[in-house]
Amino acid sequence: MIIILKKGTSPDKVNEMINHFENMNFQVQEVRGVHETILGLIGDTSSLDTDDIKSMDTVAEVKRIQEPYKNANRKFHPDDTIVDVCGRKIGGGHFQVIAGPCSVESREQMISVANSVKASGAGLMRGGAFKPRTSPYSFQGLRAEGIEYLLEAKKASGLPIVTEIMSAAHLPLFEDVDVIQVGARNMQNFELLKELGKVNKPILLKRGLANTIEELLMSAEYIMAGGNKNVILCERGIRTFETATRNTLDISAIPIIKKQSHLPVIIDPSHAAGIRWMVQPLSMAAIAVGADGLIIEVHNNPEKALCDGAQSLTPEQFDQVMNDVKRTVTFFGKTMD
Ligand code: PEP
Ligand code: MN
């Protein structure tokens, strides 16, 4: 970190600042120019808040040279993290597809969709029991009952389950859930993230609708700083001026995240596009840019879906997409075991 001091800062004040940072165990290098003095801090500056330093009387400017996240940073962990969910690996050359309806609607639906997506090659099953809906009058999910149906579908199909949490108060209901999802709307619910840092289960963290890649990595950092290192990131489209699609898939996010972080990152083409026919081309793009997996909405009867029918594939359409996914994953040298 580089701290540029205000012009005319007295040598006493400069020494005071050097002592302040040395007492915090940083090495401080002082560069005294004709017009200004610069302090270079050497050490792990991730715990420093640049705004706090900027608010000091003597400080003109603060610049980070190192990212503010440490646990999620590839610099401190060069090898890809491989998240293992009941033997299904994600990351480091292992590719997984998570599939299932937007919301859990019934026991029969979950068992039937789970069996069909499994037959098509999905490694995990999704389904929302707690639904973050824009309107309080829309279907809010079956809640605890939904989790029961997911567990029954897991028993019937053998597929591990992924489902969204909206409040830390619901954690006891998630005891048998295999992957806990944090949805886009809760990406910066820091109290929830802190609680999930204490949980011994993988967390699927979706990027917020209007959040930067750095903010996504800082949210992962919240979970990891609590001790839970099993975080899977998910790009699900961001808000832009474009209205032709529900969101805009930020495909560039994948190579950037892969460069800066060792965590696995998957793409959600369903929420990104909001349109069923776009799931196939966006899935192909996701594999080509290096994603470690996909999360795809599949419904037994999309026209009657209680949520997100327009972007949901039928099991038959999913099967077609999976044929292309399997071929492309192999072409790019990854495995789906
Ligand atoms: C979901 O996965 O069902 C969901 C609500 O997604 P997002 O949080 O990305 O909107
Ligand atoms: Mn949905």
Side-chain angles (χ1 to χ4, degrees), residues 101-103 126 131 206 246 268 270-271 297 307-308 311:
C102 181
S103 332
R126 62 152 288 150
K131 292 305 304 174
K206 297 186 94 175
R246 184 175 178 186
D268 176 344
S270 310
H271 289 90
E297 286 189 342
C307 181
D308 288 350
Q311 66 196 34

Side-chain angles (χ1 to χ4, degrees), residues 100-102 270 274-276 279 297-299 301-302 305 307-314 317:
C102 181
S270 310
I275 309 167
R276 185 174 305 131
V279 169
E297 286 189 342
V298 180
H299 195 282
N301 186 359
C307 181
D308 288 350
Q311 66 196 34
S312 300
L313 304 180
T314 62
Q317 290 164 336

Side-chain angles (χ1 to χ4, degrees), residues 44-48 64-77 212-222 224-225 233 256-263:
D44 176 14
T45 55
S46 49
S47 59
L48 291 180
R64 272 195 188 279
I65 2 185
Q66 195 163 284
E67 299 79 11
Y69 45 91
K70 188 180 178 201
N71 284 285
N73 200 326
R74 199 180 270 284
K75 275 185 198 143
F76 299 101
H77 188 299
T212 63
I213 293 168
E214 184 167 291
E215 285 165 343
L216 172 63
L217 290 167
M218 288 305 284
S219 290
E221 192 73 15
Y222 261 92
M224 298 175 87
L233 304 170
I256 292 186
I257 292 171
K258 290 258 145 208
K259 192 169 166 59
Q260 298 185 342
S261 178
H262 51 88
L263 294 174

